[in-house]
Amino acid sequence: MQVAPSCFIKQERKELVSEAKVQEVYWRLYFKEFEGNIDTNKKVTLEEIWLKSIVVQLLNTHFQNISEQYNTHYFAHAGFKEFGALKISIGAPRGQNKKAIQAVMQVINDLNKNGITNEEMNRIKEEEYAKLNQLSLQSSSYWSQKIINHIVDQEPLIADEIPKKQNFLKKLKVIHLDSILGKYLKSMPEDISLITSNANPAMKLKESTVRNWIRKSKTESYAPLASSQLLKTRLQQKISDFKLVDYKKIMVNIPNAESYELKNGIKILFKSGDVAPSVYGDDNNLRIQGYSSEGAKCFSSKNFYNVINAPDIIKNSGVGDLNKFELKKLVKDELDKFMIHPYINPYESGLHVNTSQENLELTFQLIYLYFTDPNKNYDAFHDWKDGASFRNLNRINQDDFLNQIKEDLQDPYYVPQGSKLLEGIYQTELANAYQSYRQLFGDASNFTFLFSGDFDEQTVLKLCRKYLGNLPNLNSKSNCPKLPKKPINKPKISQEQEYSASGKSDYIRFKLSYLTPINENNDWKDQIKRDIIYRILDYSLMKSLRFDSDKGGPYGIGVGNYQTHQPDYYNEITIDFGARPEDGERLINEAKDVVKSLIDGNLSKGFFDMTITNFKAKKNKYTNKEILKNLYEYTKYGKPWVTIEEKQEYIASLTYDEVIVYAHQLMKEKPYIFKWMPKPLNK
């Protein structure tokens, strides 16, 4: 088969709502193996498949490296296609097409000129051996994928892959990989394609322009990040040799928990012991939350977005003179799992940590530096600004809808998203954001730290005394407002609200919200009843509107509490729909009928009993995340600690009438109906 001549292809696709400002372009660069004839009947050997797989892994590692610098919002990924073509996929936001393509070609030119190093070769072998050690030839998923590869890619099926690949790796040399690279990596790809909306200026690009970008790509190596040992040394140079501070024990009304106050005023609360497995896979981790009851409301309203955005700016900048890429490498090499997330909301500031326990000293050093030594980096700030804008466009219409609802409800806890947040990002100034962060985190005396997991309390207490106990105590006086009182009446707004959306879509969204004031006696038992009502409604709506309906249609339904804050401002049960305009009113009326049937007591008692049975906890202990949440509510809002046994006993005691009566209390009044009406896509 003769190789086709080089080509340049543009393909149009619909402009997405989220592309109103970003307008991403998807590029494909194709590098062909031969300039002569291609033998399509040639059988592919396992050795060739393994070699190409390693080459792809090598290229993707290099592409990952070029993204580990600020102000690179593009991505690249390698893969082999049929007929001997190496495909490089590139995604670039508007304004970064040339930069992205040239960065990718810089990697290719460097590898083409210099090949791979012995160090890279050793790393590749280590990673491949590690994969083999984790491979299970008895796994059904393994053979399912192998059968797919055999049918689609004609990959041979063998029963003894592990010893054969081990032998292959043993014989593998740098020259073998350089040989494959030499076949494909050229200074110019044969074929180039781009996919984007017709409104994107990239659709007007000429082939000669793009190929000229490629010709002018530099040939220079990217300097790799420093070793984790060097990074750790740099980090520790920012930390003094602290002494352990004094502490005192304080009373706590939680079983098997201990609480202390450090000399600088910080309070700590431990809840250690076995935890239930969870979807987060963190049952062996230590979870930490530190918080203070001071937040964005401590500042003027004109400074609101500077304050709210400050934690993300700091996280993007790094701490202790290590940027975010260096910190990422350090924790990846030193900790099996690690996450740290500082935050500021209207009435609170703090941080969440989820970490494995093999290097807790490093974890506490990082917490200390997030309080005392955040970086101020203008490149990182501009990188955050662009990246935050791109990310917030993904759900802009849904977020704008929620913004308008929360604005009408005068919700004091809600942080605007969507267009308002985009405007706030644009207005954010580094100096003000940095100063507000230092003000809130610079005085740790009013912080409380919570610890959950299966950990050694004396070890963690010692680290708390060493690092948390040496955080600054400025004894600053706070003029921050207290949490607002919960409303005693329903919202005084029109029962039905319709909002026009600036974006386009063929679907509308609407929410039926049953809102009632929260009773002073509202407690954990009421929350359990609400959760049961959510589950009953979710099933009943699905049954009535989907399975029993002769209308059908493409729509989605969700039931729950869509307030995105703590504590709840109202008791809320919301039914959320996305549907075609012609289905809207019908679905609203049918949903109202389902609610009326429930509160009128028409729910099957058999279904109620099944719901209660399914709702009962199947575990006898909390997950790590649940423990931390309960500790937070105990210290922040004074909620009592409730054991799983108490909850199970209460659920088992619940009667049909109790749940129906409570559902009637919550949903007897007409719901508020919020409609989001975008312009149709075809107009």
Side-chain angles (χ1 to χ4, degrees):
M1 177 177 153
Q2 187 69 32
V3 176
S6 299
C7 60
F8 182 80
I9 299 172
K10 302 176 188 177
Q11 183 174 332
E12 180 189 352
R13 63 174 172 80
K14 284 186 178 181
E15 180 180 357
L16 304 177
V17 170
S18 62
E19 292 180 313
K21 296 181 182 178
V22 179
Q23 293 185 331
E24 197 160 42
V25 182
Y26 296 95
W27 295 89
R28 304 289 186 268
L29 310 182
Y30 294 92
F31 298 82
K32 298 175 183 177
E33 181 180 1
F34 301 107
E35 295 181 359
N37 292 328
I38 295 175
D39 183 3
T40 57
N41 296 317
K42 180 184 175 183
K43 289 188 177 181
V44 181
T45 67
L46 269 177
E47 287 74 13
E48 287 178 297
I49 292 170
W50 291 335
L51 270 174
K52 287 183 176 181
S53 173
I54 290 172
V55 166
V56 165
Q57 176 186 331
L58 173 71
L59 285 169
N60 288 336
T61 299
H62 279 266
F63 293 150
Q64 178 65 33
N65 288 341
I66 65 173
S67 69
E68 288 180 340
Q69 54 184 320
Y70 289 115
N71 298 301
T72 55
H73 299 289
Y74 47 81
F75 65 85
H77 187 269
F80 278 94
K81 295 297 288 180
E82 61 276 7
F83 304 130
L86 171 66
K87 180 180 75 171
I88 310 296
S89 303
I90 305 169
R94 183 174 180 174
Q96 292 205 348
N97 292 299
K98 179 180 178 181
K99 184 178 180 181
I101 289 174
Q102 288 189 331
V104 166
M105 290 306 304
Q106 184 174 328
V107 168
I108 289 173
N109 291 338
D110 176 58
L111 284 170
N112 196 17
K113 178 182 178 182
N114 302 315
I116 69 169
T117 64
N118 287 322
E119 182 183 357
E120 278 186 304
M121 186 64 175
N122 292 333
R123 176 183 57 79
I124 288 169
K125 284 191 173 185
E126 286 178 9
E127 291 175 355
E128 289 297 317
Y129 279 123
K131 289 179 186 176
L132 285 177
N133 290 335
Q134 296 174 357
L135 199 61
S136 172
L137 298 186
Q138 308 304 317
S139 167
S140 59
S141 59
Y142 166 82
W143 285 108
S144 296
Q145 187 59 52
K146 285 297 178 182
I147 291 169
I148 292 171
N149 294 347
H150 176 69
I151 295 171
V152 176
D153 300 324
Q154 299 178 343
E155 181 179 311
L157 282 171
I158 59 170
D160 54 348
E161 177 177 354
I162 292 178
K164 283 193 174 182
K165 191 165 186 180
Q166 286 173 334
N167 188 52
F168 161 80
L169 291 171
K170 186 178 180 180
K171 296 178 180 179
L172 184 64
K173 292 181 170 49
V174 168
I175 191 173
H176 298 135
L177 291 180
D178 281 343
S179 174
I180 292 286
L181 292 173
K183 287 182 180 179
Y184 292 95
L185 301 189
K186 311 178 186 76
S187 60
M188 179 67 68
E190 282 82 0
D191 300 333
I192 304 171
S193 70
L194 69 90
I195 305 171
T196 191
S197 69
N198 198 43
N200 196 306
M203 288 296 281
K204 297 180 181 178
L205 285 170
K206 295 180 179 179
E207 179 178 4
S208 58
T209 300
V210 178
R211 292 193 181 275
N212 197 40
W213 292 348
I214 294 173
R215 290 187 188 95
K216 293 182 178 180
S217 300
K218 297 177 182 178
T219 305
E220 58 184 44
S221 299
Y222 279 93
L225 295 173
S227 69
S228 58
Q229 185 58 49
L230 180 57
L231 294 173
K232 188 159 58 171
T233 301
R234 282 173 52 194
L235 191 79
Q236 290 169 346
Q237 288 172 349
K238 307 292 288 186
I239 298 173
S240 303
D241 186 16
F242 296 126
K243 294 181 179 180
L244 304 184
V245 303
D246 294 335
Y247 67 98
K248 64 180 180 181
K249 195 169 184 178
I250 54 181
M251 292 294 296
V252 60
N253 193 22
I254 298 176
N256 302 315
E258 299 290 348
S259 188
Y260 308 92
E261 183 175 334
L262 303 177
K263 188 176 180 180
N264 60 354
I266 286 178
K267 294 179 177 62
I268 56 179
L269 176 56
F270 294 163
K271 176 70 172 166
S272 177
D274 287 342
V275 299
S278 76
V279 294
Y280 302 102
D282 64 346
D283 38 309
N284 293 318
N285 285 13
L286 176 65
R287 276 190 178 262
I288 307 169
Q289 180 179 1
Y291 73 89
S292 159
S293 295
E294 296 182 5
K297 292 290 187 179
C298 299
F299 299 82
S300 66
S301 58
K302 67 179 182 181
N303 211 24
F304 181 79
Y305 286 105
N306 287 320
V307 186
I308 288 293
N309 290 323
D312 287 340
I313 294 170
I314 298 302
K315 188 171 182 181
N316 201 58
S317 301
V319 296
D321 287 341
L322 269 64
N323 65 38
K324 74 170 182 180
F325 307 109
E326 293 169 324
L327 286 173
K328 180 181 177 181
K329 176 177 174 56
L330 177 62
V331 299
K332 180 182 178 183
D333 292 346
E334 297 292 324
L335 292 162
D336 181 41
K337 294 179 182 178
F338 179 81
M339 180 280 293
I340 187 166
H341 176 65
Y343 66 90
I344 298 173
N345 63 36
Y347 294 95
E348 185 176 297
S349 53
L351 52 77
H352 291 281
V353 179
N354 187 357
T355 179
S356 51
Q357 299 192 47
E358 63 265 76
N359 195 341
L360 288 178
E361 185 99 17
L362 176 59
T363 295
F364 276 81
Q365 288 172 347
L366 289 169
I367 292 172
Y368 177 84
L369 291 171
Y370 265 96
F371 275 83
T372 62
D373 198 14
N375 294 343
K376 188 177 183 181
N377 182 319
Y378 282 93
D379 281 342
F381 172 68
H382 292 298
D383 177 84
W384 164 81
K385 210 164 196 176
D386 288 341
S389 298
F390 299 158
R391 288 188 296 274
N392 279 284
L393 281 167
N394 288 333
R395 283 178 44 85
I396 192 165
N397 278 323
Q398 296 95 315
D399 289 338
D400 283 350
F401 183 30
L402 195 56
N403 282 347
Q404 291 173 308
I405 293 173
K406 295 301 182 182
E407 193 172 285
D408 281 347
L409 295 177
Q410 299 181 346
D411 189 328
Y413 302 105
Y414 185 66
V415 176
Q417 304 295 313
S419 298
K420 287 201 171 183
L421 182 56
L422 284 172
E423 185 178 340
I425 290 168
Y426 176 76
Q427 295 171 354
T428 299
E429 299 174 347
L430 177 58
N432 288 336
Y434 187 80
Q435 182 182 355
S436 62
Y437 182 93
R438 293 302 300 260
Q439 182 174 329
L440 289 172
F441 286 84
D443 182 2
S445 59
N446 58 357
F447 269 77
T448 298
F449 280 83
L450 313 169
F451 298 82
S452 70
D454 191 0
F455 60 93
D456 182 78
E457 292 189 17
Q458 289 307 308
T459 299
V460 174
L461 178 58
K462 184 177 179 181
L463 291 168
C464 287
R465 294 171 64 194
K466 182 177 181 180
Y467 292 103
L468 302 187
N470 282 288
L471 288 172
N473 176 358
L474 304 180
N475 287 317
S476 56
K477 293 184 178 180
S478 171
N479 295 317
C480 302
K482 295 181 179 179
L483 289 174
K485 293 182 178 179
K486 295 181 177 64
I488 59 174
N489 298 306
K490 291 178 60 179
K492 295 181 179 179
I493 60 173
S494 174
Q495 208 72 34
E496 188 166 324
Q497 301 282 341
E498 184 172 305
Y499 310 111
S500 297
S502 56
K504 294 181 179 181
S505 175
D506 285 334
Y507 289 84
I508 63 171
R509 294 202 71 86
F510 48 92
K511 297 179 186 288
L512 276 67
S513 291
Y514 294 85
L515 302 173
T516 54
I518 295 176
N519 190 296
E520 289 184 1
N521 298 321
N522 184 71
D523 62 7
W524 61 272
K525 295 179 181 179
D526 290 328
Q527 183 60 58
I528 285 177
K529 286 185 285 190
R530 284 196 296 275
D531 289 341
I532 289 171
I533 291 168
Y534 296 151
R535 190 167 297 191
I536 290 172
L537 265 181
D538 194 48
Y539 175 82
S540 300
L541 286 163
M542 188 64 68
K543 183 176 184 298
S544 176
L545 276 63
R546 179 73 67 190
F547 301 123
D548 295 345
S549 173
D550 58 356
K551 300 289 184 181
Y555 52 83
I557 314 168
V559 180
N561 178 343
Y562 290 87
Q563 300 185 79
T564 54
H565 55 72
Q566 285 286 346
D568 291 340
Y569 200 49
Y570 288 101
N571 285 321
E572 176 179 343
I573 295 181
T574 290
I575 302 169
D576 188 9
F577 287 96
R580 299 175 304 188
E582 59 266 31
D583 292 326
E585 290 302 319
R586 172 178 66 83
L587 293 173
I588 288 173
N589 291 328
E590 289 183 10
K592 287 180 181 178
D593 290 342
V594 169
V595 171
K596 186 175 186 305
S597 178
L598 171 62
I599 65 177
D600 284 349
N602 295 325
L603 176 70
S604 158
K605 290 194 176 182
F607 176 64
F608 172 81
D609 292 338
M610 182 180 70
T611 303
I612 293 295
T613 300
N614 292 336
F615 194 80
K616 288 179 184 176
K618 298 291 191 300
K619 57 193 179 188
N620 57 6
K621 49 192 174 185
Y622 288 119
T623 64
N624 212 337
K625 186 177 181 180
E626 289 170 336
I627 292 170
L628 197 69
K629 179 178 181 290
N630 293 340
L631 292 176
Y632 172 77
E633 293 181 345
Y634 173 88
T635 55
K636 177 78 173 181
Y637 305 120
K639 292 187 177 182
W641 183 270
V642 184
T643 66
I644 282 188
E645 291 77 15
E646 289 176 300
K647 288 186 176 181
Q648 288 177 325
E649 185 179 340
Y650 176 69
I651 293 170
S653 73
L654 272 174
T655 66
Y656 177 94
D657 289 341
E658 283 180 280
V659 173
I660 297 302
V661 167
Y662 190 62
H664 189 270
Q665 291 175 7
L666 296 179
M667 298 185 289
K668 62 183 177 182
E669 304 288 345
K670 290 182 179 179
Y672 292 91
I673 301 175
F674 304 102
K675 298 180 181 179
W676 173 76
M677 310 294 290
K679 300 170 185 175
L681 279 173
N682 57 359
K683 290 186 180 181

